[in-house]
Coordinates of all heavy atoms in Angstrom, one line a residue:
M195 N 116.4 81.2 106.0 CA 116.0 81.9 104.7 C 114.6 81.7 104.4 O 113.9 82.6 103.9 CB 117.0 81.4 103.6 CG 116.8 82.1 102.3 SD 117.3 83.8 102.5 CE 117.5 84.2 100.8
Q196 N 114.1 80.5 104.6 CA 112.7 80.1 104.3 C 111.7 81.0 105.1 O 110.7 81.5 104.6 CB 112.5 78.6 104.6 CG 111.1 78.1 104.2 CD 110.9 77.9 102.7 OE1 111.9 77.8 101.9 NE2 109.7 77.9 102.2
T197 N 112.0 81.1 106.4 CA 111.2 82.0 107.2 C 111.1 83.4 106.8 O 110.1 84.0 106.8 CB 111.7 81.9 108.7 OG1 111.7 80.5 109.1 CG2 110.7 82.6 109.6
F198 N 112.3 83.9 106.4 CA 112.4 85.3 105.9 C 111.5 85.5 104.7 O 110.8 86.5 104.6 CB 113.8 85.7 105.6 CG 114.0 87.0 105.0 CD1 113.8 88.2 105.8 CD2 114.3 87.2 103.7 CE1 114.0 89.4 105.2 CE2 114.5 88.4 103.1 CZ 114.3 89.6 103.9
M199 N 111.6 84.5 103.8 CA 110.8 84.7 102.5 C 109.3 84.5 102.8 O 108.5 85.2 102.2 CB 111.3 83.6 101.5 CG 112.7 83.9 101.0 SD 113.2 82.6 99.9 CE 112.7 83.3 98.4
E200 N 108.9 83.7 103.8 CA 107.5 83.6 104.2 C 107.0 84.9 104.8 O 105.9 85.2 104.5 CB 107.3 82.4 105.2 CG 107.5 81.1 104.5 CD 107.5 79.9 105.6 OE1 107.4 80.2 106.8 OE2 107.5 78.8 105.2
I201 N 107.8 85.5 105.5 CA 107.4 86.8 106.1 C 107.2 87.9 105.0 O 106.3 88.6 105.0 CB 108.4 87.3 107.2 CG1 108.4 86.3 108.4 CG2 108.2 88.7 107.6 CD1 109.5 86.6 109.4
I202 N 108.2 87.9 104.1 CA 108.1 88.8 102.9 C 106.8 88.6 102.1 O 106.1 89.5 101.7 CB 109.3 88.8 102.0 CG1 110.6 89.2 102.8 CG2 109.1 89.6 100.8 CD1 110.5 90.7 103.3
L203 N 106.5 87.3 101.9 CA 105.3 86.9 101.2 C 104.1 87.3 101.9 O 103.1 87.8 101.3 CB 105.4 85.4 101.0 CG 104.5 84.8 99.9 CD1 104.9 85.3 98.5 CD2 104.5 83.3 99.9
F204 N 104.0 87.1 103.2 CA 102.9 87.5 104.0 C 102.7 89.0 104.0 O 101.6 89.5 103.8 CB 103.1 87.0 105.5 CG 102.0 87.5 106.4 CD1 100.8 86.8 106.3 CD2 102.2 88.5 107.3 CE1 99.7 87.2 107.2 CE2 101.2 88.9 108.2 CZ 99.9 88.3 108.1
I205 N 103.7 89.8 104.1 CA 103.7 91.3 104.1 C 103.2 91.8 102.7 O 102.3 92.6 102.6 CB 105.0 91.9 104.5 CG1 105.3 91.6 106.0 CG2 105.0 93.4 104.2 CD1 106.7 92.0 106.5
A206 N 103.7 91.2 101.7 CA 103.3 91.6 100.3 C 101.9 91.3 100.1 O 101.2 92.1 99.5 CB 104.2 90.9 99.3
S207 N 101.4 90.1 100.6 CA 100.0 89.8 100.4 C 99.1 90.7 101.1 O 98.0 91.2 100.6 CB 99.7 88.3 100.8 OG 99.9 88.2 102.1
I208 N 99.4 91.1 102.3 CA 98.6 92.1 103.1 C 98.6 93.4 102.4 O 97.6 94.1 102.3 CB 99.2 92.2 104.6 CG1 99.0 90.8 105.3 CG2 98.5 93.3 105.3 CD1 97.6 90.4 105.4
V209 N 99.8 93.9 101.9 CA 99.8 95.2 101.2 C 99.0 95.1 100.0 O 98.2 96.1 99.7 CB 101.3 95.5 100.9 CG1 101.4 96.7 99.9 CG2 102.1 95.8 102.1
I210 N 99.0 94.0 99.2 CA 98.1 94.0 98.0 C 96.7 94.0 98.4 O 95.9 94.8 97.8 CB 98.4 92.6 97.3 CG1 99.8 92.7 96.6 CG2 97.4 92.4 96.2 CD1 100.3 91.3 96.1
I211 N 96.3 93.3 99.4 CA 94.8 93.3 99.8 C 94.4 94.7 100.3 O 93.4 95.2 99.8 CB 94.6 92.3 101.0 CG1 94.8 90.9 100.4 CG2 93.3 92.5 101.6 CD1 94.8 89.8 101.5
V212 N 95.2 95.3 101.1 CA 94.8 96.7 101.6 C 94.8 97.7 100.4 O 93.9 98.5 100.4 CB 95.8 97.1 102.7 CG1 95.6 98.6 103.1 CG2 95.6 96.2 103.9
A213 N 95.8 97.7 99.6 CA 95.9 98.6 98.5 C 94.7 98.5 97.5 O 94.1 99.5 97.0 CB 97.2 98.5 97.7
V214 N 94.3 97.2 97.2 CA 93.2 97.0 96.3 C 91.9 97.4 97.0 O 91.0 98.0 96.3 CB 93.1 95.5 95.9 CG1 91.8 95.2 95.2 CG2 94.3 95.2 95.0
L215 N 91.7 97.2 98.2 CA 90.5 97.6 98.9 C 90.3 99.1 99.0 O 89.2 99.6 99.1 CB 90.4 96.9 100.3 CG 90.1 95.4 100.3 CD1 90.2 94.9 101.8 CD2 88.8 95.1 99.7
M216 N 91.5 99.8 99.1 CA 91.4 101.2 99.2 C 91.2 102.0 97.9 O 90.8 103.1 97.9 CB 92.7 101.8 99.9 CG 92.8 101.4 101.3 SD 94.4 102.0 102.1 CE 94.2 103.7 101.9
Q217 N 91.4 101.3 96.8 CA 91.2 101.9 95.5 C 89.7 102.1 95.2 O 88.8 101.3 95.6 CB 91.8 101.1 94.4 CG 93.3 101.1 94.4 CD 93.8 100.2 93.3 OE1 93.1 99.7 92.4 NE2 95.1 100.0 93.3
E218 N 89.4 103.2 94.5 CA 88.0 103.5 94.2 C 87.6 102.6 92.9 O 88.5 102.3 92.1 CB 87.8 104.9 93.9 CG 87.9 105.8 95.1 CD 87.5 107.2 94.8 OE1 86.8 107.5 93.9 OE2 88.0 108.1 95.6
S219 N 86.4 102.3 92.8 CA 85.9 101.5 91.6 C 86.1 102.3 90.4 O 85.9 103.5 90.3 CB 84.4 101.2 91.8 OG 83.9 100.6 90.7
K220 N 86.6 101.6 89.4 CA 86.8 102.2 88.1 C 85.6 102.2 87.1 O 85.6 102.8 86.1 CB 88.0 101.5 87.4 CG 89.3 101.6 88.2 CD 90.5 102.1 87.4 CE 91.8 102.0 88.1 NZ 91.9 102.5 89.4
S221 N 84.6 101.4 87.5 CA 83.4 101.3 86.7 C 82.4 102.4 87.0 O 82.4 102.9 88.2 CB 82.8 99.9 86.9 OG 82.3 99.8 88.1
D222 N 81.6 102.7 86.1 CA 80.6 103.8 86.3 C 79.3 103.2 86.9 O 78.5 104.0 87.5 CB 80.3 104.5 85.0 CG 81.5 105.3 84.5 OD1 82.3 105.7 85.3 OD2 81.6 105.4 83.3
G223 N 79.1 101.9 86.8 CA 77.9 101.3 87.4 C 76.7 101.8 86.6 O 76.6 101.9 85.4
V224 N 75.6 102.1 87.3 CA 74.3 102.5 86.8 C 74.5 103.9 86.1 O 73.7 104.2 85.2 CB 73.2 102.5 87.8 CG1 71.9 102.9 87.3 CG2 73.1 101.1 88.5
A225 N 75.4 104.7 86.5 CA 75.5 106.0 86.0 C 75.9 106.0 84.5 O 75.5 106.9 83.7 CB 76.6 106.8 86.7
S226 N 76.5 104.9 84.0 CA 76.9 104.9 82.6 C 75.6 104.7 81.7 O 75.7 105.0 80.5 CB 77.9 103.7 82.4 OG 77.3 102.5 82.7
L227 N 74.6 104.1 82.3 CA 73.3 103.9 81.5 C 72.7 105.3 81.2 O 72.0 105.4 80.1 CB 72.4 103.0 82.2 CG 72.9 101.6 82.5 CD1 71.8 100.9 83.4 CD2 73.1 100.9 81.2
T228 N 72.7 106.2 82.0 CA 72.1 107.5 81.8 C 72.9 108.5 81.1 O 72.4 109.5 80.7 CB 71.6 108.1 83.2 OG1 72.8 108.4 83.9 CG2 70.7 107.2 83.9
G229 N 74.2 108.2 80.9 CA 75.1 109.1 80.2 C 75.6 110.2 81.1 O 76.2 111.2 80.6
E230 N 75.4 110.2 82.4 CA 75.8 111.2 83.3 C 77.2 110.8 84.0 O 77.3 110.6 85.2 CB 74.8 111.4 84.4 CG 73.5 112.0 83.8 CD 72.5 112.1 84.9 OE1 72.8 112.1 86.1 OE2 71.3 112.3 84.6
T231 N 78.2 110.6 83.1 CA 79.5 110.2 83.7 C 80.4 111.4 83.6 O 80.3 112.3 82.7 CB 80.1 109.1 82.9 OG1 80.2 109.4 81.5 CG2 79.2 107.8 83.0
N232 N 81.4 111.4 84.5 CA 82.4 112.5 84.5 C 83.7 111.9 84.0 O 84.3 111.1 84.6 CB 82.6 113.0 86.0 CG 83.6 114.1 86.1 OD1 84.0 114.6 85.0 ND2 84.0 114.5 87.3
I233 N 84.1 112.4 82.8 CA 85.3 111.8 82.2 C 86.4 112.9 82.1 O 87.4 112.7 81.5 CB 85.0 111.3 80.7 CG1 84.4 112.4 79.8 CG2 84.1 110.1 80.8 CD1 84.2 112.0 78.4
A234 N 86.2 114.0 82.8 CA 87.2 115.0 82.9 C 88.5 114.6 83.6 O 88.4 113.8 84.6 CB 86.6 116.3 83.6
G235 N 89.6 115.0 83.1 CA 90.9 114.6 83.7 C 91.1 115.4 85.0 O 90.4 116.4 85.3
K236 N 92.1 114.9 85.8 CA 92.4 115.6 87.1 C 93.6 116.4 87.0 O 94.2 116.7 88.0 CB 92.5 114.5 88.2 CG 91.2 113.8 88.4 CD 91.3 112.9 89.6 CE 90.0 112.1 89.7 NZ 89.7 111.7 91.0
G237 N 94.0 116.7 85.8 CA 95.2 117.6 85.7 C 96.5 116.7 85.8 O 96.5 115.5 85.6
G238 N 97.6 117.4 86.0 CA 98.9 116.7 86.1 C 99.2 116.1 87.4 O 100.3 115.5 87.6
K239 N 98.4 116.3 88.4 CA 98.7 115.8 89.8 C 98.4 114.3 89.9 O 97.5 113.8 89.2 CB 97.8 116.6 90.8 CG 98.1 118.1 90.8 CD 97.1 118.7 91.8 CE 97.7 118.8 93.2 NZ 96.9 119.5 94.1
K240 N 99.2 113.7 90.7 CA 99.0 112.3 90.9 C 97.9 112.1 92.0 O 97.9 112.8 93.0 CB 100.3 111.6 91.4 CG 101.2 111.2 90.2 CD 102.1 110.1 90.6 CE 102.7 109.6 89.4 NZ 103.3 108.3 89.6
T241 N 97.0 111.3 91.7 CA 95.9 111.0 92.6 C 96.2 109.9 93.6 O 97.2 109.2 93.4 CB 94.6 110.7 91.9 OG1 94.8 109.5 91.1 CG2 94.2 111.8 90.9
K242 N 95.4 109.8 94.6 CA 95.5 108.7 95.5 C 95.5 107.3 94.8 O 96.2 106.4 95.2 CB 94.4 108.8 96.6 CG 94.5 107.7 97.6 CD 93.4 107.8 98.6 CE 92.2 107.2 98.1 NZ 91.1 106.9 99.0
D243 N 94.6 107.2 93.8 CA 94.4 106.0 93.1 C 95.7 105.6 92.3 O 96.1 104.5 92.2 CB 93.2 106.0 92.2 CG 91.9 105.7 92.9 OD1 92.0 105.1 94.0 OD2 90.9 106.0 92.3
A244 N 96.4 106.7 91.8 CA 97.6 106.4 91.1 C 98.7 105.8 92.0 O 99.4 104.9 91.6 CB 98.1 107.7 90.4
Y245 N 98.8 106.4 93.2 CA 99.8 105.9 94.2 C 99.4 104.4 94.6 O 100.2 103.6 94.7 CB 99.8 106.8 95.4 CG 100.6 108.1 95.1 CD1 100.0 109.3 95.3 CD2 101.9 108.1 94.7 CE1 100.6 110.5 95.1 CE2 102.6 109.2 94.5 CZ 101.9 110.4 94.7 OH 102.6 111.6 94.4
L246 N 98.1 104.2 94.8 CA 97.7 102.9 95.2 C 97.9 101.9 94.1 O 98.2 100.7 94.4 CB 96.2 102.9 95.7 CG 95.9 103.6 97.0 CD1 94.4 103.7 97.2 CD2 96.6 102.9 98.1
S247 N 97.7 102.3 92.9 CA 98.0 101.4 91.8 C 99.4 101.0 91.7 O 99.8 99.9 91.5 CB 97.5 102.1 90.5 OG 97.8 101.3 89.4
Q248 N 100.3 102.0 91.9 CA 101.8 101.7 91.9 C 102.1 100.8 93.0 O 102.9 99.9 92.8 CB 102.6 103.0 92.0 CG 102.6 103.8 90.7 CD 103.5 105.0 90.8 OE1 103.8 105.5 91.9 NE2 104.0 105.5 89.7
I249 N 101.6 101.0 94.2 CA 101.9 100.1 95.3 C 101.4 98.7 95.1 O 102.1 97.8 95.4 CB 101.2 100.7 96.6 CG1 101.9 102.0 97.1 CG2 101.2 99.7 97.7 CD1 101.2 102.8 98.2
T250 N 100.2 98.6 94.5 CA 99.7 97.3 94.1 C 100.6 96.6 93.1 O 100.9 95.4 93.3 CB 98.3 97.4 93.5 OG1 97.5 98.1 94.5 CG2 97.7 96.1 93.2
I251 N 101.1 97.3 92.1 CA 101.9 96.6 91.1 C 103.3 96.2 91.7 O 103.7 95.1 91.5 CB 102.2 97.6 89.9 CG1 100.9 97.8 89.2 CG2 103.3 97.1 89.0 CD1 100.9 98.9 88.1
I252 N 103.9 97.1 92.5 CA 105.1 96.7 93.2 C 105.0 95.6 94.1 O 105.8 94.6 94.1 CB 105.7 98.0 93.9 CG1 106.1 99.1 92.9 CG2 106.9 97.6 94.8 CD1 106.5 100.4 93.5
A253 N 103.9 95.6 95.0 CA 103.7 94.5 95.9 C 103.4 93.2 95.1 O 103.9 92.1 95.6 CB 102.6 94.8 96.8
S254 N 102.8 93.3 94.0 CA 102.5 92.1 93.2 C 103.7 91.5 92.6 O 103.9 90.2 92.6 CB 101.5 92.4 92.1 OG 100.3 92.9 92.7
V255 N 104.6 92.3 92.1 CA 105.9 91.8 91.6 C 106.7 91.2 92.7 O 107.3 90.1 92.5 CB 106.6 93.0 90.9 CG1 108.1 92.6 90.5 CG2 105.9 93.5 89.7
V256 N 106.8 91.8 93.8 CA 107.5 91.2 95.0 C 106.9 89.9 95.3 O 107.7 88.9 95.5 CB 107.6 92.2 96.2 CG1 108.1 91.5 97.4 CG2 108.4 93.5 95.8
F257 N 105.6 89.8 95.4 CA 104.9 88.6 95.8 C 105.3 87.5 94.8 O 105.6 86.4 95.1 CB 103.4 88.8 95.8 CG 102.6 87.6 96.2 CD1 102.3 87.4 97.5 CD2 102.1 86.7 95.3 CE1 101.6 86.3 97.9 CE2 101.4 85.6 95.6 CZ 101.1 85.4 97.0
F258 N 105.2 87.8 93.5 CA 105.5 86.8 92.4 C 106.9 86.3 92.5 O 107.2 85.1 92.4 CB 105.2 87.5 91.1 CG 105.4 86.6 89.9 CD1 104.6 85.6 89.6 CD2 106.5 86.8 89.1 CE1 104.8 84.7 88.5 CE2 106.8 85.9 88.0 CZ 105.9 84.9 87.7
I259 N 107.9 87.2 92.6 CA 109.3 86.9 92.7 C 109.6 86.0 93.9 O 110.3 85.0 93.8 CB 110.2 88.1 92.6 CG1 110.1 88.8 91.3 CG2 111.6 87.8 93.0 CD1 110.8 90.2 91.2
V260 N 109.1 86.4 95.1 CA 109.3 85.6 96.3 C 108.6 84.2 96.2 O 109.2 83.2 96.6 CB 108.8 86.3 97.5 CG1 108.9 85.5 98.8 CG2 109.7 87.6 97.7
A261 N 107.4 84.2 95.6 CA 106.7 82.9 95.4 C 107.5 81.9 94.5 O 107.7 80.7 94.8 CB 105.3 83.1 94.9
I262 N 108.0 82.5 93.4 CA 108.8 81.7 92.5 C 110.1 81.2 93.1 O 110.5 80.1 93.0 CB 109.1 82.5 91.2 CG1 107.8 82.7 90.4 CG2 110.1 81.7 90.3 CD1 107.1 81.5 89.9
A263 N 110.8 82.1 93.9 CA 112.0 81.8 94.6 C 111.8 80.7 95.6 O 112.6 79.7 95.7 CB 112.6 83.0 95.2
M264 N 110.6 80.8 96.4 CA 110.4 79.7 97.3 C 110.1 78.4 96.7 O 110.5 77.3 97.2 CB 109.1 80.2 98.2 CG 109.5 81.2 99.2 SD 108.1 81.7 100.2 CE 107.7 80.2 101.1
A265 N 109.4 78.4 95.5 CA 109.2 77.2 94.8 C 110.5 76.5 94.3 O 110.6 75.3 94.3 CB 108.2 77.4 93.7
A266 N 111.4 77.4 93.9 CA 112.7 76.9 93.4 C 113.5 76.3 94.4 O 114.3 75.4 94.2 CB 113.4 78.0 92.6
I267 N 113.4 76.9 95.6 CA 114.2 76.4 96.8 C 113.8 75.0 97.2 O 114.6 74.2 97.5 CB 114.2 77.4 97.9 CG1 115.0 78.7 97.5 CG2 114.8 76.8 99.2 CD1 114.9 79.8 98.6
K268 N 112.5 74.8 97.2 CA 112.0 73.5 97.7 C 112.3 72.4 96.8 O 112.6 72.1 95.9 CB 110.5 73.6 97.9 CG 110.1 74.4 99.2 CD 108.7 74.3 99.5 CE 108.4 75.0 100.8 NZ 107.0 74.8 101.2

């Protein structure tokens, strides 16, 4: 059981890392100083960032639950 939980923890951590790295930056950076920012919405369609955000949240919850369970078992 311990090995299974370690594998799940490893997979969840890799998923979190990849999903966060694939997301686009939410800050405007230097463009916010000049006022040339695009704040228009993208309509009702889900974007790639929305899916990546959901994947990050789900993987984080799985990671947290498995980490707490492993601590409780030991």
Side-chain angles (χ1 to χ4, degrees):
M195 185 68 163
Q196 184 77 19
T197 306
F198 175 72
M199 293 179 91
E200 288 174 355
I201 292 170
I202 295 297
L203 198 64
F204 178 74
I205 292 171
S207 64
I208 296 298
V209 168
I210 291 169
I211 291 169
V212 170
V214 167
L215 288 175
M216 289 179 63
Q217 290 179 5
E218 291 186 24
S219 175
K220 301 228 187 312
S221 67
D222 293 331
V224 179
S226 64
L227 297 175
T228 62
E230 297 177 13
T231 58
N232 183 8
I233 57 172
K236 296 187 181 203
K239 299 174 92 175
K240 282 206 165 194
T241 62
K242 178 182 84 168
D243 278 342
Y245 286 119
L246 288 173
S247 178
Q248 283 184 339
I249 290 170
T250 304
I251 291 171
I252 292 169
S254 300
V255 169
V256 169
F257 182 89
F258 180 75
I259 291 171
V260 172
I262 295 295
M264 285 180 63
I267 289 174
K268 285 189 176 184

